[in-house]
Amino acid sequence: MGHVFGAEFRQVENREHLGKPAIAAIAVRSYDTTVDDLWDAITTPERLARWFVPVEGDLKLGGRYQLKGNAGGTITRCERPNSLDVTWEFMGGTSWVNVRLAPDGAKAGLTLEHIAPKDGIGEEHLKQFGPGAVGIGWDLGLHGLERHLLDPAAPRDQKAIDAWVASSEGKAFVRASGEAWGAAHAASGENPDEARAKAERTIAAYTGA
């Protein structure tokens, strides 16, 4: 474990999901807030729009959601304030995102799993980029969540976000995240050279290098 730009822990697991081989990227964080407040931050449309992206749909168990310009899917589990599971449907493929919240001492802990199938649609993308492709994206998103919790009323400033991502600080964040996901991938059993190469391709894709 180690603190890298606020990320507390990353893990990559090979597992079965729905009877088929899959790979899971797991991110663990803790935030200086309550579990109830953290639940509201990740499930309330008004707050999601301030740190992630706008969401629309029938936002209840069994309902469909759509993130603006991003994934959509079905809410398959919704148990306030601890458990949220959704399908993640994007570019013709389906993966799964599971979020668990729990007290972590005086803070609120968050564990996010993004599970992707190893075969079918998205297989070539996974072979090229590895789990860091979603891992870096979630690290960026969870960084936004951290900033939101410091100032919940602040609106999302897309121009400022884009400028930060393009800055030396933003690129350093992406590199540190990508290298950490590459190390987690190698620790899961992937060939270290392959894991490192996939991480470098992912970092280049995010930074435009």
Side-chain angles (χ1 to χ4, degrees):
M1 291 190 207
H3 289 267
V4 181
F5 291 97
E8 293 186 350
F9 182 62
R10 297 178 181 84
Q11 185 172 347
V12 174
E13 289 184 358
N14 296 291
R15 60 171 70 164
E16 279 198 357
H17 187 76
L18 301 179
K20 295 183 178 181
I23 189 168
I26 304 164
V28 179
R29 296 282 184 95
S30 66
Y31 296 100
D32 190 14
T33 189
T34 65
V35 170
D36 281 326
D37 182 56
L38 186 55
W39 176 267
D40 285 342
I42 69 170
T43 60
T44 305
E46 293 79 10
R47 294 187 68 177
L48 274 169
R50 294 180 194 143
W51 68 269
F52 197 41
V53 292
V55 60
E56 297 178 341
D58 187 17
L59 305 181
K60 63 183 181 181
L61 182 63
R64 297 280 301 177
Y65 74 92
Q66 179 61 55
L67 298 170
K68 184 178 179 180
N70 205 305
T74 300
I75 300 168
T76 58
R77 184 174 183 180
C78 185
E79 299 173 3
R80 180 186 178 95
N82 304 115
S83 303
L84 178 68
D85 295 354
V86 299
T87 62
W88 189 266
E89 301 168 25
F90 188 66
M91 297 181 67
T94 298
S95 53
W96 305 269
V97 174
N98 303 331
V99 181
R100 299 290 180 267
L101 308 183
D104 182 11
K107 298 186 177 185
L110 178 150
T111 300
L112 182 149
E113 296 185 341
H114 195 147
I115 306 165
K118 287 188 175 182
D119 52 18
I121 296 174
E123 178 182 3
E124 292 305 315
H125 186 270
L126 184 62
K127 287 181 178 179
Q128 183 177 3
F129 295 106
V134 298
I136 292 176
W138 284 117
D139 278 352
L140 289 166
L142 294 176
H143 178 65
L145 174 58
E146 184 174 27
R147 293 177 62 84
H148 166 73
L149 291 169
L150 293 173
D151 187 3
R156 188 173 187 270
D157 186 339
Q158 189 59 51
K159 288 185 178 179
I161 293 171
D162 291 343
W164 179 80
V165 171
S167 71
S168 57
E169 181 184 357
K171 289 180 178 179
F173 181 105
V174 169
R175 170 154 293 279
S177 170
E179 289 178 350
W181 281 111
H185 195 193
S188 76
E190 174 70 287
N191 177 283
D193 291 337
E194 285 291 322
R196 190 160 40 247
K198 291 175 182 178
E200 287 297 328
R201 287 193 287 269
T202 306
I203 292 166
Y206 271 93
T207 60

